[in-house]
Amino acid sequence: MSLSQAEFVQQNQQEYSISGDVDFLTVPGLVRQSLSFFKENFRVNKGTGKPVTITVDLSLITSSNSAGLALILEMVKNAQQNNIELHFDNLPDTLQTIAKAYGVENEIRDICR
């Protein structure tokens, strides 16, 4: 049996992507990776006083479950704590369905493009 794999990758200073299987096995590592990137961006830009804007592309996610939704909500919380305006592109249909089932589709819609 193969283990789930996922990556949080920096494309440039303001664009990131998540790829692979986003599930209960991979989300803890993705949270750690994203928090590390967020803290670094905050450290670099804290002198300006302006929020940093970051976009995360989700189009490379191959599969996801409710842990993926938890990841997005945790990333939003961490971004807010680090004065980062966070947006997501290409939210997979499965995560949209899960967000609706949990009653958070409006919150997700506000951060997705």
Side-chain angles (χ1 to χ4, degrees):
M1 178 171 72
S2 65
L3 294 175
S4 296
Q5 294 184 354
E7 285 187 288
F8 183 82
V9 177
Q10 185 172 12
Q11 305 299 324
N12 59 51
Q13 192 168 359
Q14 294 182 313
E15 295 179 2
Y16 297 80
S17 66
I18 295 175
S19 63
D21 298 333
V22 179
D23 56 29
F24 295 104
L25 293 174
T26 60
V27 164
L30 292 169
V31 168
R32 284 190 299 276
Q33 290 175 10
S34 66
L35 185 55
S36 174
F37 284 116
F38 291 163
K39 285 184 176 181
E40 179 62 21
N41 271 293
F42 177 70
R43 186 186 65 73
V44 168
N45 293 294
K46 69 181 176 183
T48 67
K50 297 184 337 187
V52 177
T53 301
I54 290 178
T55 301
V56 179
D57 180 20
L58 304 176
S59 66
L60 300 176
I61 292 176
T62 53
S63 67
S64 186
N65 57 27
S66 60
L69 179 61
L71 170 66
I72 289 172
L73 296 174
E74 183 68 18
M75 288 176 67
V76 168
K77 182 181 89 173
N78 289 335
Q80 289 171 343
Q81 291 171 347
N82 288 286
N83 199 29
I84 293 170
E85 183 179 318
L86 184 62
H87 300 279
F88 294 92
D89 286 340
N90 305 305
L91 183 70
D93 291 340
T94 54
L95 289 179
Q96 290 178 29
T97 301
I98 294 168
K100 186 173 183 177
Y102 280 97
V104 294
E105 69 269 23
N106 290 334
E107 292 85 349
I108 296 299
R109 187 178 13 248
D110 290 344
I111 57 174
C112 293
R113 300 191 259 180

